[in-house]
Amino acid sequence: MRVRVAGLVLACAGLPAAGADLSPIEAGLDYHSYANVDQFRTTHIELDLRVDLEGKVISGIVGLELKRLDPRATQLVLDTKDLMINDVTQKSTDVLGATAKNQTIWVSRPFHLEKPDHILGSALVIDLPPSRKPAEIIRIDYETLPTAAALQWLTPKQTAGRHKAFLYTQSEPIGARTWIPLQDTPQVRATYKARIHTASDVVAVMSAENDPTHKRNGEYAFVMPQAIPSYLIALAVGDLAFKETGPRTGVYAEKPAVKAAAKEFADTESMIAAGEKLFGPYRWTRYDILVLPPSFPVGGMENPRLSFITPTVIAGDKSLVSVIAHELAHSWSGNLVTNATWRDLWLNEGFTDYLEGRIMTAVYGEQRASMEAVLGLESLRRDLAKLKPQDQVLAIDLRDRDPGLVFSDVPYQKGRLFLEYLAAKFGRERFDGFLRGYFDHFAFKSITTEQFTQYLTENLLDRFPGTVGREQIAAWVNDPGLPADAVLPVSSAFAPVDDARAAWLAGTLPAKQIDHGWVTQQWLHFLDNMPAVLSAAQLGDLDRAYGFTNSRNAVIERSWFELVIRNNYQPGFARLQEYLIGIGRRLLIEPLYTDLMKTPSGAEFAKRVYAKARPGYHPETVAAIEAIINPAAAEGSE
Ligand SMILES: [Zn+2]
């Protein structure tokens, strides 16, 4: 996932602050799931769901095929949050009269929901008789509640097309349990099939095999033949059109957006080819992109075969498509080799940021990739300045915290720098060979930080002794900050930007003469490194020259609005309000709300705008923004 919420680390309500629990972390134990995975493991999921866009409810049946690891186990424990469970049955062949051929008997099983935890939800406990059979099949009849955190139900007015309602899911990290009762832990992988019944005038798509030629009739069937973790199960329903961009790539979007999206993402096939050359075969057959309405809370979500992408990366000039390289890269790091718990998130995101950089270099050249790497480092440094030491480590202690609210640049950018360090020490070629071997060795497996470091030690450190020591690896994984010998990115393209900024600040360069055909990344560097205080005259000067307040580029606008807020530049506020209402991508709006809250007038503005924006935000965005603008209430509400 591409989130990068700058420096936002929130302790969860009523729970001890991070690090308060001094007991040792058990590697591989998922502190964010109730599932008894040592006794049962899901191998296959069958969904038969009705999506009611008007009533805003998903209802139906999930079938779980489970491998039984413990013959004596008498309870199956699943994860749920805000779900209504109607019935639980078990497929049985042991029942009297069930001997007729092909006859399936479903036996009701007693079940109950445990008291809910405000982060984890409620354990669903199902009583089962002990059994020596290797597998069980359980069916659960259930429906979702309006509070389901992974679901955003959009009214027609909240979509680009404005005619039909829209639903999409965002399950990472622990949201799948709010729309499917299951073992919601990334260490369990399952294949899935789904039948989706919905209104006949909308299209359903999933993180599975999609058929763009399927007739629009309200009945859709999906198969995901590769075993994936629960957080990658994804669904969207709306007035979607499809446009092919290559032999195995295409774009789904609302009709008004599909043409621009296909143009913006025309290089996707080149990106896949670059990824395959570097990291081994693309193992998911097709790679399609679903462009969501602007409320989508993250930049992109790597749902396999169908990345979910924010429309804010469509700038008209491909300048923000590193998000596509990022989500595509997850086809190797994250979807193929998956973090076993959310503590190990850096295995997904650090690797993916590294792979993203390599793909961007291959497709768009060294200059562009190095600028993006430097911007990433600048962002990491801003995060490190705000984060507590215990949250600056790669394998972070997330116990008692909501992993969805603790994303920072550390697992992404520090993880990436760790791999850059290894590549620099062992040489690009050796390290590439190591990476290909790693993806093969752990393909379709979920692994811990400790499994990675062991594999790294055996296959790189010990093979080329004297290059990097174990203590250096331990420092990267366990110590706060950046190691002194980190290999940091540099970009020659930023030197003229720094010179121009300095000259403009000194009054020796008029605003109009700053631009020498700069690309987006140079403008971001220009804006992000401004001094704390600028005058209204200076900002007006820049705005007149470059129209930042009304930029077409949502990321440049974000950097500009940070200056607007910091310097209380009044002409920018009307557009700032539109921006905050129109966009739900957390990376873009959370820093702005955070900055607004630093002054009384800003806080008043933030609260007023949020009241208008809230109905259009995804529940995940709502939770994050409320924690910023009203932390006391956010704590008290749970
Ligand atoms: Zn990611």
Side-chain angles (χ1 to χ4, degrees):
M1 180 165 53
R2 182 71 165 257
V3 187
R4 288 199 188 149
V5 179
L8 188 84
V9 175
L10 303 159
C12 288
L15 290 166
D21 185 347
L22 295 176
S23 63
I25 292 179
E26 198 179 318
L29 178 65
D30 188 346
Y31 291 91
H32 295 98
S33 170
Y34 291 114
N36 53 340
V37 293
D38 292 338
Q39 296 182 304
F40 297 95
R41 288 231 162 198
T42 311
T43 55
H44 179 69
I45 297 170
E46 299 249 342
L47 295 162
D48 192 331
L49 301 177
R50 176 160 299 283
V51 177
D52 179 354
L53 288 174
E54 302 284 310
K56 302 184 177 178
V57 178
I58 295 178
S59 59
I61 289 168
V62 59
L64 300 175
E65 293 183 21
L66 302 143
K67 189 172 168 191
R68 186 185 254 277
L69 305 175
D70 181 354
R72 291 161 307 171
T74 56
Q75 286 191 325
L76 168 66
V77 184
L78 301 176
D79 294 297
T80 77
K81 190 177 186 187
D82 296 339
L83 281 182
M84 191 141 85
I85 307 296
N86 300 321
D87 191 27
V88 178
T89 54
Q90 182 183 17
K91 189 175 182 179
S92 176
T93 49
D94 303 336
V95 178
L96 207 61
T99 48
K101 235 184 179 178
N102 296 329
Q103 189 180 1
T104 305
I105 299 285
W106 292 92
V107 183
S108 277
R109 292 298 179 203
F111 67 92
H112 69 275
L113 286 168
E114 296 278 339
K115 190 170 168 286
D117 173 89
H118 76 103
I119 298 169
L120 303 181
S122 306
L124 170 61
V125 182
I126 300 165
D127 295 334
L128 298 175
S131 170
R132 298 214 161 271
K133 284 186 297 182
E136 311 273 8
I137 299 181
I138 301 294
R139 273 201 338 202
I140 303 162
D141 185 321
Y142 71 98
E143 58 199 88
T144 60
L145 296 180
T147 42
L151 305 181
Q152 186 171 19
W153 302 95
L154 295 169
T155 62
K157 272 193 178 161
Q158 292 169 327
T159 67
R162 303 184 76 83
H163 293 301
K164 288 176 186 140
F166 200 103
L167 162 73
Y168 67 86
T169 65
Q170 168 54 36
S171 294
E172 190 186 19
I174 56 171
R177 69 191 65 178
T178 70
W179 65 287
I180 310 169
L182 41 49
Q183 293 183 313
D184 194 14
T185 169
Q187 58 197 262
V188 170
R189 312 180 72 99
T191 53
Y192 81 81
K193 280 187 188 172
R195 301 190 77 82
I196 302 295
H197 318 278
T198 187
S200 59
D201 60 350
V202 287
V203 173
V205 290
M206 289 192 82
S207 54
E209 283 177 14
N210 287 283
D211 174 10
T213 64
H214 188 286
K215 210 169 100 234
R216 193 181 276 232
N217 62 4
E219 295 290 328
Y220 302 92
F222 302 94
V223 178
M224 173 39 101
Q226 286 108 337
I228 57 167
S230 54
Y231 74 87
L232 293 177
I233 304 176
L235 166 70
V237 180
D239 187 12
L240 294 171
F242 176 80
K243 194 161 166 54
E244 199 175 271
T245 56
R248 52 181 169 170
T249 59
V251 170
Y252 291 87
E254 290 189 81
K255 271 183 202 149
V258 75
K259 213 171 142 196
K263 201 164 157 233
E264 196 81 6
F265 305 140
D267 298 335
T268 309
E269 174 58 39
S270 312
M271 289 183 177
I272 301 177
E276 288 190 305
K277 206 167 151 202
L278 290 164
F279 315 118
Y282 178 77
R283 307 187 199 215
W284 308 88
T285 316
R286 281 191 66 82
Y287 181 80
D288 292 317
I289 290 168
L290 169 65
V291 178
L292 287 140
S295 62
F296 190 53
V298 295
M301 179 62 213
E302 64 270 23
N303 299 316
R305 291 171 185 246
L306 184 67
S307 284
F308 284 24
I309 300 291
T310 167
T312 61
V313 302
I314 300 173
D317 59 3
K318 299 183 183 173
S319 63
L320 303 175
V321 295
S322 63
V323 170
I324 304 298
H326 180 96
E327 306 315 329
L328 170 67
H330 272 304
S331 306
W332 289 270
S333 47
N335 299 1
L336 185 64
V337 182
T338 306
N339 52 213
T341 75
W342 298 111
R343 169 182 176 253
D344 310 302
L345 177 71
W346 75 276
L347 291 177
N348 278 17
E349 299 300 351
F351 274 70
T352 294
D353 266 9
Y354 176 79
L355 267 57
E356 169 197 326
R358 300 294 303 278
I359 292 172
M360 290 303 289
T361 305
V363 178
Y364 298 98
E366 182 65 41
Q367 171 120 320
R368 163 101 173 248
S370 65
M371 283 191 287
E372 289 178 338
V374 172
L375 289 173
L377 174 64
E378 289 174 356
S379 178
L380 172 65
R381 287 204 191 283
R382 285 192 290 270
D383 266 15
L384 289 175
K386 293 180 222 160
L387 290 167
K388 293 187 188 117
Q390 63 264 34
D391 288 335
Q392 298 179 14
V393 302
L394 285 181
I396 185 176
D397 183 357
L398 291 171
R399 287 177 292 179
D400 299 330
R401 292 197 284 175
D402 182 342
L405 293 180
V406 195
F407 274 83
S408 81
D409 269 330
V410 170
Y412 290 77
Q413 290 293 329
K414 186 177 171 182
R416 173 207 176 120
L417 291 175
F418 180 23
L419 300 197
E420 294 282 8
Y421 168 81
L422 293 171
K425 292 286 172 189
F426 289 95
R428 201 59 107 184
E429 208 170 308
R430 270 183 199 160
F431 188 64
D432 282 354
F434 166 80
L435 274 184
R436 273 194 300 275
Y438 166 78
F439 290 129
D440 278 342
H441 184 77
F442 291 114
F444 298 105
K445 291 195 170 71
S446 302
I447 66 165
T448 61
T449 299
E450 287 69 18
Q451 282 171 283
F452 167 73
T453 51
Q454 192 188 335
Y455 183 86
L456 174 70
T457 303
E458 287 167 9
N459 292 279
L460 207 55
L461 268 58
D462 292 354
R463 273 204 197 163
F464 307 101
T467 314
V468 173
R470 283 159 209 242
E471 62 290 345
Q472 283 153 304
I473 300 302
W476 269 102
V477 173
N478 301 317
D479 290 356
L482 280 177
D485 60 347
V487 180
L488 303 178
V490 286
S491 173
S492 57
F494 287 158
V497 176
D498 291 328
D499 291 346
R501 189 192 314 101
W504 175 72
L505 286 168
T508 56
L509 181 71
K512 277 197 179 119
Q513 288 172 30
I514 290 173
D515 184 16
H516 288 274
W518 284 357
V519 296
T520 293
Q521 288 70 22
Q522 288 171 302
W523 282 116
L524 290 173
H525 181 77
F526 178 76
L527 295 172
D528 288 347
N529 292 284
M530 282 291 177
V533 179
L534 291 173
S535 70
Q538 284 174 308
L539 287 166
D541 199 19
L542 277 184
D543 205 10
R544 274 189 300 280
Y546 301 107
F548 289 126
T549 295
N550 292 298
S551 167
R552 238 190 110 177
N553 185 307
V555 180
I556 288 181
E557 273 192 297
R558 189 272 320 270
S559 289
W560 171 251
F561 286 136
E562 286 185 356
L563 299 179
V564 165
I565 294 166
R566 208 156 74 209
N567 296 288
N568 196 22
Y569 176 65
Q570 283 304 317
F573 274 81
R575 173 66 195 133
L576 171 61
Q577 169 165 318
E578 285 172 15
Y579 184 88
L580 292 172
I581 292 173
I583 293 175
R585 184 179 173 193
R586 291 175 53 190
L587 166 78
L588 300 182
I589 63 172
E590 284 183 26
L592 300 179
Y593 277 108
T594 304
D595 288 351
L596 283 166
M597 291 308 292
K598 288 176 183 163
T599 64
S601 65
E604 196 255 327
F605 176 85
K607 287 177 184 176
R608 201 174 62 233
V609 172
Y610 172 67
K612 291 183 198 162
R614 190 184 191 280
Y617 287 164
H618 185 279
E620 189 186 286
T621 311
V622 167
I625 302 299
E626 277 182 7
I628 294 171
I629 68 166
N630 211 346
E635 279 181 30
S637 69
E638 294 289 346

